[in-house]
């Protein structure tokens, strides 16, 4: 499913495309779900692949969402390519428009990732989010920014000896991020004490400017302590 959204080139982020407060327009979860179901032909669109309306395109093109909703905006374009629905977006600029939006989204996703590293990685929740960021934007073609040796080494440090993934309390952070690892670890551990990691389903964070969903839509802790969604994302990477 994860095909280069930039054509046959490798791209870099562009900090000139960072969202401003005035430019933030949010996509709602139900709109995001509608885009994905229409593309693959499920739910109310069962049996009708590539049902992509102008309303769906307008919703997915909104710049300003964050967290998992941001990832789903990229997933919409991955699915359009995977299911050969590209003709549905030709009147909206086709491949050139998709490449531009991919760069916009991944530039802002990279900024979100930097913010996570600067404040300290929350065990479990942030680990899952960061791996999704690397998976989606690396798959979109932004290899140099997201599929870096230090980030891959960090994810390998998060892996348990039995191969699966679970909340990790260690202090490993990307070498390219100049941080005090000890302070970062202390902040992360303190936040974990205040959080109930067993209730990670459908948790939404909302502020006055942007709809932000940080936690996975569906996560389950297996009997051995492995986190199903986190381990699956790591498996794709």
């Amino acid at each position: 499913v994860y095909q280069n959204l930039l054509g046959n080139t490798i791209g870099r982020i562009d900090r000139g495309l960072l969202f401003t407060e005035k430019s933030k327009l949010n996509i709602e979860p139900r709109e995001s779900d509608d885009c994905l179901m229409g593309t693959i032909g499920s739910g109310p669109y069962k049996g009708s692949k590539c049902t992509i309306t102008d309303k769906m395109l307008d919703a997915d093109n909104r710049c300003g969402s964050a967290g998992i909703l941001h990832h789903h905006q990229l997933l919409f374009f991955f699915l359009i390519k995977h299911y050969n629905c590209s003709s549905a977006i030709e009147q909206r600029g086709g491949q050139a428009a998709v490449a531009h939006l991919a760069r916009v989204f991944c530039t802002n996703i990279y900024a979100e990732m930097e913010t996570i590293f600067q404040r300290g990685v929350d065990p479990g929740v942030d680990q899952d989010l960061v791996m999704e960021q690397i998976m989606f934007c690396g798959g979109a073609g932004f290899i140099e920014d997201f599929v870096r040796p230090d980030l891959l080494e960090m994810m390998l440090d998060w892996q348990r000896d039995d191969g699966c993934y679970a909340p990790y309390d260690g202090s490993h952070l990307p070498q390219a991020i100049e941080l005090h690892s000890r302070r970062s670890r202390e902040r992360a551990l303190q936040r974990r004490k205040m959080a109930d990691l067993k209730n990670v389903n459908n948790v939404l964070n909302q502020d006055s400017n942007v709809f932000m969903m940080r936690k996975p839509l569906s996560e389950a802790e297996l009997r051995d302590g492995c986190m199903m969604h986190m381990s699956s994302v790591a498996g794709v990477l």
Side-chain angles (χ1 to χ4, degrees):
V1 174
Y2 301 103
Q3 302 178 51
N4 193 326
L5 298 180
L6 305 175
N8 296 318
T9 63
I10 300 300
R12 298 298 304 270
I13 62 168
D14 179 356
R15 292 188 183 275
L17 298 175
L18 286 171
F19 298 147
T20 64
E21 289 299 319
K22 291 183 179 179
S23 72
K24 288 182 177 179
L25 296 171
N26 312 324
I27 182 172
E28 298 291 342
R30 62 180 179 278
E31 294 176 310
S32 176
D33 290 345
D34 206 45
C35 292
L36 302 181
M37 289 188 293
T39 307
I40 67 177
S42 68
Y45 308 100
K46 187 174 182 179
S48 300
K49 286 193 310 182
C50 301
T51 303
I52 301 171
T53 66
D54 286 341
K55 183 179 179 180
M56 292 178 187
L57 290 171
D58 288 340
D60 199 75
N61 290 355
R62 291 181 198 152
C63 297
S65 300
I68 293 173
L69 291 178
H70 229 158
H71 306 170
H72 286 186
Q73 287 178 287
L74 278 174
L75 180 58
F76 180 51
F77 292 120
F78 282 125
L79 292 176
I80 285 175
K81 292 194 69 172
H82 182 73
Y83 285 94
N84 297 316
C85 304
S86 298
S87 60
I89 60 173
E90 286 303 319
Q91 293 184 342
R92 295 296 189 99
Q95 175 58 44
V98 169
H100 173 71
L101 283 170
R103 182 168 279 105
V104 170
F105 293 152
C106 285
T107 293
N108 286 275
I109 287 173
Y110 189 85
E112 290 176 28
M113 186 171 66
E114 285 186 315
T115 299
I116 289 173
F117 292 145
Q118 288 164 4
R119 63 166 166 72
V121 179
D122 273 328
V125 177
D126 283 341
Q127 290 172 252
D128 191 284
L129 189 64
V130 166
M131 287 194 290
E132 276 203 5
Q133 291 167 335
I134 295 169
M135 176 181 71
F136 279 108
C137 287
F142 299 93
I143 304 295
E144 293 185 44
D145 295 305
F146 287 89
V147 189
R148 303 194 320 245
D150 58 326
L151 293 177
L152 297 178
E153 181 183 348
M154 175 189 68
M155 289 188 295
L156 288 175
D157 273 2
W158 290 348
Q159 189 176 31
R160 293 186 354 176
D161 290 340
D162 60 6
C164 79
Y165 280 75
Y168 175 77
D169 288 339
S171 60
H172 185 99
L173 290 169
Q175 295 176 358
I177 308 294
E178 295 182 2
L179 297 171
H180 297 290
S181 294
R182 180 179 176 183
R183 290 177 57 196
S184 175
R185 181 172 181 266
E186 290 173 351
R187 289 196 301 269
L189 289 174
Q190 182 62 31
R191 279 192 298 275
R192 188 182 179 191
K193 291 177 182 177
M194 299 172 62
D196 180 7
L197 291 180
K198 292 184 179 180
N199 297 320
V200 295
N201 289 329
N202 300 321
V203 178
L204 308 180
N205 293 329
Q206 177 120 34
D207 63 31
S208 58
N209 295 315
V210 58
F211 186 89
M212 173 76 167
M213 186 159 55
R214 286 179 55 218
K215 298 190 178 183
L217 288 172
S218 180
E219 180 62 285
E221 183 176 351
L222 304 179
R223 291 181 179 179
D224 58 2
C226 293
M227 303 304 287
M228 186 167 63
H229 184 271
M230 191 191 308
S231 299
S232 298
V233 173
V236 173
L237 288 166

